Amino acid sequence: MNIDLPKVINAYFKADKKGSPQALADLFTPDAVVVDEGNTYTGRDAIRQWMMNASTKYTYTVEPFAQAEEGGRTIITSHLVGNFPGSPVDLRYFFVLKSGMIAELEIVL
């Protein structure tokens, strides 16, 4: 299913697919916060490191298939398949956007 993602969220998934931590980090505000697997990463440097670790630790593909809005957040549900425990899985990505950039991202089951 093709969905019409907001521009910066579409760019996020493209950067993730290419395994480009710097391109991905550049989509976030300087003080952005990412919460993933119980860990919190604050700022572009921490977000870049988070992506570098994820892309070296696992091989995966992610395919967004649903979009919703709730409480000022854009929720993208994606199918994730890879060499990680529990694969495949559907994850929800809770994005908060600010001035065309990602200010917050929380990834949950």
Side-chain angles (χ1 to χ4, degrees):
M1 172 174 162
N2 287 338
I3 56 176
D4 188 22
L5 297 173
K7 184 177 179 178
V8 72
I9 294 175
N10 188 50
Y12 169 89
F13 285 107
K14 284 183 177 181
D16 186 22
K17 183 176 185 174
K18 290 180 181 177
S20 178
Q22 185 62 54
L24 187 134
D26 289 345
L27 300 170
F28 287 81
T29 61
D31 59 348
V33 175
V34 171
V35 178
D36 183 35
E37 295 184 298
N39 297 304
T40 301
Y41 308 91
T42 304
R44 287 183 182 145
D45 288 340
I47 292 167
R48 182 178 50 254
Q49 190 62 48
W50 160 69
M51 178 49 69
M52 284 175 50
N53 292 342
S55 63
T56 58
K57 190 174 181 182
Y58 303 116
T59 302
Y60 60 90
T61 59
V62 60
E63 184 64 40
F65 67 87
Q67 179 176 338
E69 299 289 331
E70 179 182 291
R73 300 188 298 176
T74 301
I75 305 165
I76 307 297
T77 305
S78 297
H79 190 66
L80 195 69
V81 177
N83 65 342
F84 56 89
S87 178
V89 65
D90 288 340
L91 296 178
R92 290 179 298 151
Y93 294 70
F94 292 82
F95 290 92
V96 175
L97 305 181
K98 181 178 176 184
S99 301
M101 300 186 83
I102 302 167
E104 296 176 29
L105 171 59
E106 182 179 5
I107 303 172
V108 298
L109 280 173

